[in-house]
């Protein structure tokens, strides 16, 4: 069960981009790849659970300073069920009074503010930001070892999303200091943050 979102940071009374994310890992990744200049112009609200994102979007839309938002970006993982993910996106868009059909990574033109949704990893495949991070790991020898472990274990995960999360957890556990994903994104050298795998999400954040 997802926890209710904490009191989000207040909106400034100046133009800003609003980013809604489902959890701390997503927030850390966006901060890491956006760059200081881009991130400095954004307000990030963490829903603390994907099912809380529509509620958070509605809370934002009712805020007296929401009119200062030039754009709203939503980062949501596809996970294992595209149908459920798309239904959740429709709830978010409805909370933001957007009626234009959803298109991955594209901001709706003409909306005030403009609204866009990035469905990770790429808008089509099941999975999450874990899939992007896997492509950007810095130690190919260790990555090969984890591949061997997964084969040896008999491919234990029943879905692509779970398998990717399990792979990344194993990779991070074999660092000199075992890490969680949010720790690995916080100033470490585990990932190549300039990797092309992050480029579509980076462009989405820059468009905010």
């Amino acid at each position: 069960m997802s926890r209710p979102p904490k009191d989000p940071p207040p909106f400034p009374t100046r133009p800003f981009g609003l980013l809604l994310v489902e959890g701390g890992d997503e927030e850390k990744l966006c901060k890491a790849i956006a760059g200081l200049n881009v991130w400095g112009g954004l307000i990030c609200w963490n829903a603390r659970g994907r099912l809380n994102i529509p509620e958070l979007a509605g809370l934002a839309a009712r805020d007296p300073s929401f009119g200062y938002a030039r754009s709203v970006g939503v980062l949501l993982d596809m996970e294992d069920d595209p149908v459920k993910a798309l239904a959740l996106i429709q709830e978010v868009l409805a909370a933001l009074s957007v009626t234009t059909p959803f298109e991955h990574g594209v901001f709706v033109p003409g909306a005030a503010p403009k609204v866009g949704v990035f469905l990770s990893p790429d808008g089509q495949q099941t999975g999450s930001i874990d899939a992007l991070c896997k492509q950007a790991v810095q130690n190919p020898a260790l990555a090969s070892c984890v591949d061997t472990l997964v084969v040896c274990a008999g491919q234990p995960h029943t879905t692509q999303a779970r398998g990717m999360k399990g792979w990344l957890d194993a990779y991070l556990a074999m660092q000199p200091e075992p890490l969680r994903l949010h720790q690995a994104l916080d100033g470490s050298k585990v990932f190549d943050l300039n990797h092309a795998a992050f480029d579509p999400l980076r462009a989405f954040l820059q468009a905010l």
Side-chain angles (χ1 to χ4, degrees):
M1 180 179 295
S2 59
R3 298 170 294 172
K6 294 180 179 178
D7 291 337
F11 291 153
T13 53
R14 57 169 174 75
F16 66 94
L18 174 62
L19 177 64
L20 305 179
V21 298
E22 60 180 89
D25 289 343
E26 288 80 7
E27 181 176 0
K28 276 291 183 73
L29 176 62
C30 289
K31 183 177 181 180
I33 69 172
L36 291 177
N37 289 338
V38 172
W39 192 254
L42 304 180
I43 299 294
C44 184
W45 278 15
N46 178 351
R48 302 177 74 209
R50 62 192 279 109
L51 297 181
N52 294 327
I53 289 188
E55 177 187 351
L56 198 65
L59 183 64
R62 294 189 298 272
D63 190 284
S65 297
F66 185 65
Y68 288 96
R70 61 176 179 265
S71 54
V72 179
V74 182
L75 174 58
L76 184 70
D77 291 335
M78 178 83 81
E79 295 293 352
D80 295 315
D81 192 330
V83 174
K84 287 184 178 180
L86 291 174
L88 191 58
I89 288 172
Q90 293 307 317
E91 290 184 45
V92 174
L93 295 179
L96 295 169
S97 301
V98 175
T99 57
T100 304
F102 161 70
E103 185 175 350
H104 165 71
V106 175
F107 285 89
V108 176
K114 62 181 182 179
V115 176
V117 181
F118 191 99
L119 189 56
S120 61
D122 61 4
Q124 297 182 346
Q125 299 181 71
T126 57
S128 63
I129 61 168
D130 296 333
L132 303 179
C133 292
K134 180 183 177 182
Q135 297 177 63
V137 294
Q138 295 271 38
N139 188 335
L142 177 58
S144 180
C145 290
V146 177
D147 288 340
T148 300
L149 169 63
V150 172
V151 172
C152 181
Q155 304 283 345
H157 300 102
T158 57
T159 67
Q160 181 178 352
R162 290 177 183 174
M164 192 66 65
K165 180 173 178 56
W167 189 100
L168 195 61
D169 283 348
Y171 182 89
L172 294 175
M174 292 300 106
Q175 299 300 311
E177 178 183 350
L179 299 169
R180 304 295 294 272
L181 180 55
H182 69 91
Q183 296 170 318
L185 291 166
D186 190 15
S188 79
K189 298 182 180 179
V190 177
F191 302 110
D192 174 9
L193 298 177
N194 293 314
H195 194 280
F198 296 131
D199 284 351
L201 178 56
R202 193 183 344 267
F204 180 78
L205 295 172
Q206 290 172 346
L208 269 171

